[in-house]
Amino acid sequence: MEAQKKRVAVLVGCNYPNTANELHGCINDVLAIKETLVKRFGFDDSNIEVLTDAPNSCKLPTGANIKQALAKMVDGAKEGDVLYFHYSGHGTRIPSKKHGHTVHHEEAIVPCDFNLITDLDFRQLVNRLAKGASLTILSDSCHSGGLIDKEKEQIGPSSSVQKGSTSKTSYTLTHKTIPYDFIQQHLSSLTKATATDIGTHMLELFGSNASLRFQTASHALLEALGPDEGILLSGCQADETSADMNPGVAGKAYGAFSNAVEMVVREKEGGLSNREVVVRARKVLQGQGFDQHPCLYCSDENADATFLGHPQKTEH
């Protein structure tokens, strides 16, 4: 008898309450997507782990906690399992030198403790996935395009894009990014070290829990890891920002991309491909007046595969 296939999710929402980087819609995003996963995509509530920085949260979305939850999900997967990681929060770009001369940028998400999780961490995670299992990552954060290192662009900067019209909403818009300089200054204030290399501060503060990008063996890992079966739906291109919308007393705050995906999957009873979800989300955001362009990074086969593995359930 064939073993039952699992559908497992890790959902992370960081609002950074009472800080200079506070957002308002990220926790709402993951609570909304959790309901959608259960009602329309067949996930069991017991197979969904939620990490938020809400005051009553039982498990904060620190870098170590997020990576631990992702490792547990990935390492426990078997052939046919469907895995999903949804992140709503700040992103950043880390300047780095490849090949010794040109300055490039590496993408990262910003957990509540600033223990950055980088594109290399996600690539290494995907490459550990059991053959025949799938891992879909949706990152509603700034600079999220390219968050899985070396994954193939299906919809990205080279795709045809149009600027949105001016938004007519009365919402307060906050960009979901924390500049690299701010992060470096914050970390150096904690370590009291004068080093200008962010990796020095990361290793001193977080040790072995720091990103692989800052570990000694990172260069060897970069050469060893190749494209695999990861699926990334990013809220914007690598050089763009994603919006956090706060209507104040008028309604519920939300992330623009998370909300667009929610709208897209709810209005279509049958299954949508990963490509269709991103294309439709782009159209929703353009119609709402946003200048961010969601992207899709995955293999050709996964671009046309059904989002989260099978047709959505119809709600009754």
Side-chain angles (χ1 to χ4, degrees), residues 163-177:
K163 293 294 185 181
S165 58
T166 303
S167 176
K168 296 181 175 60
T169 68
S170 58
Y171 290 13
T172 300
L173 182 154
T174 303
H175 296 298
K176 301 170 84 168
T177 184

Side-chain angles (χ1 to χ4, degrees), residues 103-122:
V103 175
H104 293 262
H105 289 88
E106 315 298 344
E107 291 74 38
I109 62 172
V110 186
C112 66
D113 62 346
F114 280 55
N115 184 6
L116 304 180
I117 302 177
T118 70
D119 53 355
L120 182 58
D121 297 309
F122 286 110

Side-chain angles (χ1 to χ4, degrees), residues 146-256:
L147 198 56
I148 302 180
D149 191 48
K150 298 185 180 180
E151 201 60 76
K152 181 177 180 179
E153 174 194 312
Q154 297 288 343
I155 302 173
S158 62
S159 305
S160 176
V161 298
Q162 291 179 293
K163 293 294 185 181
S165 58
T166 303
S167 176
K168 296 181 175 60
T169 68
S170 58
Y171 290 13
T172 300
L173 182 154
T174 303
H175 296 298
K176 301 170 84 168
T177 184
I178 302 180
Y180 168 79
D181 289 345
F182 183 96
I183 293 173
Q184 189 176 42
Q185 291 170 11
H186 173 72
L187 296 176
S188 63
S189 72
L190 297 176
T191 63
K192 308 302 182 184
T194 58
T196 57
D197 174 31
I198 194 171
T200 301
H201 302 296
M202 285 288 180
L203 291 170
E204 181 171 339
L205 288 169
F206 305 112
S208 61
N209 284 320
S211 169
L212 292 170
R213 182 68 67 180
F214 310 119
Q215 304 288 347
T216 308
S218 64
H219 295 296
L221 281 168
L222 281 170
E223 296 301 321
L225 298 180
D228 212 314
E229 293 301 306
I231 303 167
L232 171 66
L233 289 78
S234 66
C236 60
Q237 297 171 183
D239 61 350
E240 291 182 331
T241 56
S242 292
D244 179 71
M245 305 302 295
N246 181 20
V249 296
K252 185 177 289 187
Y254 61 86

Side-chain angles (χ1 to χ4, degrees), residues 28-288:
N28 291 336
D29 289 340
V30 297
L31 295 180
I33 198 65
K34 179 182 179 182
E35 182 178 356
T36 298
L37 292 178
V38 172
K39 290 185 175 181
R40 298 181 69 87
F41 288 98
F43 283 70
D44 190 299
D45 187 82
S46 63
N47 287 331
I48 301 175
E49 183 168 6
V50 178
L51 290 77
T52 74
D53 52 7
N56 59 345
S57 177
C58 59
K59 193 171 186 180
L60 289 172
T62 63
N65 284 344
I66 294 171
K67 287 192 285 189
Q68 182 183 50
L70 290 173
K72 178 182 176 182
M73 178 172 71
V74 168
D75 294 338
K78 294 180 173 58
E79 182 178 359
D81 289 352
V82 175
L83 313 182
Y84 181 62
F85 173 53
H86 190 114
Y87 172 75
S88 184
H90 280 302
T92 194
R93 300 184 86 187
I94 308 165
S96 67
K97 286 189 175 182
K98 290 183 178 179
H99 310 300
H101 58 283
T102 306
V103 175
H104 293 262
H105 289 88
E106 315 298 344
E107 291 74 38
I109 62 172
V110 186
C112 66
D113 62 346
F114 280 55
N115 184 6
L116 304 180
I117 302 177
T118 70
D119 53 355
L120 182 58
D121 297 309
F122 286 110
R123 165 49 58 208
Q124 194 266 353
L125 194 72
V126 168
N127 280 50
R128 280 164 38 196
L129 195 62
K131 184 177 181 180
S134 68
L135 172 60
T136 301
I137 296 173
L138 189 152
S139 188
D140 188 354
S141 58
C142 292
H143 314 302
S144 47
L147 198 56
I148 302 180
D149 191 48
K150 298 185 180 180
E151 201 60 76
K152 181 177 180 179
E153 174 194 312
Q154 297 288 343
I155 302 173
S158 62
S159 305
S160 176
V161 298
Q162 291 179 293
K163 293 294 185 181
S165 58
T166 303
S167 176
K168 296 181 175 60
T169 68
S170 58
Y171 290 13
T172 300
L173 182 154
T174 303
H175 296 298
K176 301 170 84 168
T177 184
I178 302 180
Y180 168 79
D181 289 345
F182 183 96
I183 293 173
Q184 189 176 42
Q185 291 170 11
H186 173 72
L187 296 176
S188 63
S189 72
L190 297 176
T191 63
K192 308 302 182 184
T194 58
T196 57
D197 174 31
I198 194 171
T200 301
H201 302 296
M202 285 288 180
L203 291 170
E204 181 171 339
L205 288 169
F206 305 112
S208 61
N209 284 320
S211 169
L212 292 170
R213 182 68 67 180
F214 310 119
Q215 304 288 347
T216 308
S218 64
H219 295 296
L221 281 168
L222 281 170
E223 296 301 321
L225 298 180
D228 212 314
E229 293 301 306
I231 303 167
L232 171 66
L233 289 78
S234 66
C236 60
Q237 297 171 183
D239 61 350
E240 291 182 331
T241 56
S242 292
D244 179 71
M245 305 302 295
N246 181 20
V249 296
K252 185 177 289 187
Y254 61 86
F257 181 51
S258 293
N259 184 65
V261 171
E262 282 280 323
M263 292 174 62
V264 165
V265 299
R266 285 181 180 276
E267 71 184 12
K268 183 78 163 59
E269 289 190 5
L272 293 168
S273 70
N274 290 305
R275 188 190 306 276
E276 288 174 316
V277 170
V278 173
V279 168
R280 291 182 182 219
R282 275 193 172 200
K283 290 180 179 178
V284 168
L285 291 171
Q286 181 185 340
Q288 293 174 336

